[in-house]
Amino acid sequence: SVERVTKVMMCGLLAIMIALALRSVTLPGAERGLEFYLKPNFANLTANGLWSSVYAALGQAFFTLSLGIGCMAIFGSYIEKDRSLTGEALLVTALDTLVALCAGLIIFPACFAYGVSPDAGPGLIFVTLPNMFNHMPQGRLWSALFFLFMSFAAMSTVVAVFEHIIANSMDLLGWSRKKASTFNFFAIFILS
């Protein structure tokens, strides 16, 4: 089933991320990356003004919440009665924090080990990870698996976002899932 494949892919991605984090923190020069990532530097916080840092943090928080709130509402409505919403919320929070911490442990030590600037932005993963994979035994296999699992995670996120639109069409217009999916596919394709 789709749910089983999703679980396997997500567990595979998490396992590879943990392996990459262990590899990254053991690279020569990784300690500078760990210090950059984990040691607070309050001078940088105030370098461009404290309020600009606060606004940037709030912007990130609101962006994350705006994307997630619709998905949480939709998938929360599908949760089985024997599951606790509080328990699920705590599990999602813990896993999200673990994945974010793990991603930082992969990227920043590897940046400093391979001489990549850590301020390259979201594309940093596509600069740093190829360096790691090129210097690993069986790097092509690790790379293929990582980007396959990452692509699946991205696609499942897209499905989650579109579920909100499809569920609204089904609820507001009384359409079947097939009709709502087909209509919204073409509407989003044309509007995009």
Side-chain angles (χ1 to χ4, degrees), residues 3 8 24 31 39 55 57 70 72 81 96 112 119 124 128-129 137 143 151 157 166 170 175:
E3 186 177 329
V8 168
S24 184
E31 54 279 341
K39 184 179 177 187
Y55 291 140
M72 289 187 303
K81 299 291 182 201
D96 182 59
F112 284 85
D119 63 355
L124 197 57
T128 307
L129 284 180
S143 173
S151 297
T157 301
I166 291 167
M170 291 167 56
W175 288 351

Side-chain angles (χ1 to χ4, degrees), residues 58-70:
L58 287 173
Q60 176 66 35
F62 286 128
F63 174 76
T64 302
L65 288 173
S66 69
L67 288 178
I69 197 73

Side-chain angles (χ1 to χ4, degrees), residues 3 75-85:
E3 186 177 329
F75 290 117
S77 70
Y78 294 147
I79 197 166
E80 297 161 5
K81 299 291 182 201
D82 62 335
R83 306 291 298 242
S84 161
L85 283 177

Side-chain angles (χ1 to χ4, degrees), residues 22-163:
L22 292 172
R23 170 74 173 153
S24 184
V25 299
T26 59
L27 291 170
E31 54 279 341
R32 288 191 354 233
L34 287 170
E35 183 178 343
F36 175 83
Y37 179 49
L38 298 173
K39 184 179 177 187
N41 184 340
F42 294 108
N44 284 344
L45 184 65
T46 59
N48 294 322
L50 178 63
W51 286 112
S52 66
S53 298
V54 170
Y55 291 140
L58 287 173
Q60 176 66 35
F62 286 128
F63 174 76
T64 302
L65 288 173
S66 69
L67 288 178
I69 197 73
C71 296
M72 289 187 303
I74 293 296
F75 290 117
S77 70
Y78 294 147
I79 197 166
E80 297 161 5
K81 299 291 182 201
D82 62 335
R83 306 291 298 242
S84 161
L85 283 177
T86 303
E88 293 298 314
L90 291 172
L91 181 62
V92 168
T93 301
L95 285 173
D96 182 59
T97 303
L98 173 70
V99 168
L101 181 64
C102 195
L105 290 173
I106 294 168
I107 296 297
F108 293 111
C111 281
F112 284 85
Y114 295 119
V116 176
S117 176
D119 63 355
L124 197 57
I125 190 171
F126 298 105
V127 175
T128 307
L129 284 180
N131 281 323
M132 277 186 71
F133 293 132
N134 284 335
H135 295 93
M136 286 175 67
Q138 300 296 320
R140 286 184 185 210
L141 175 65
W142 286 99
S143 173
L145 288 173
F146 177 80
F147 285 111
L148 172 70
F149 294 155
M150 184 71 105
S151 297
F152 193 86
M155 196 54 104
S156 67
T157 301
V158 169
V159 168
V161 170
F162 286 131
E163 178 62 22

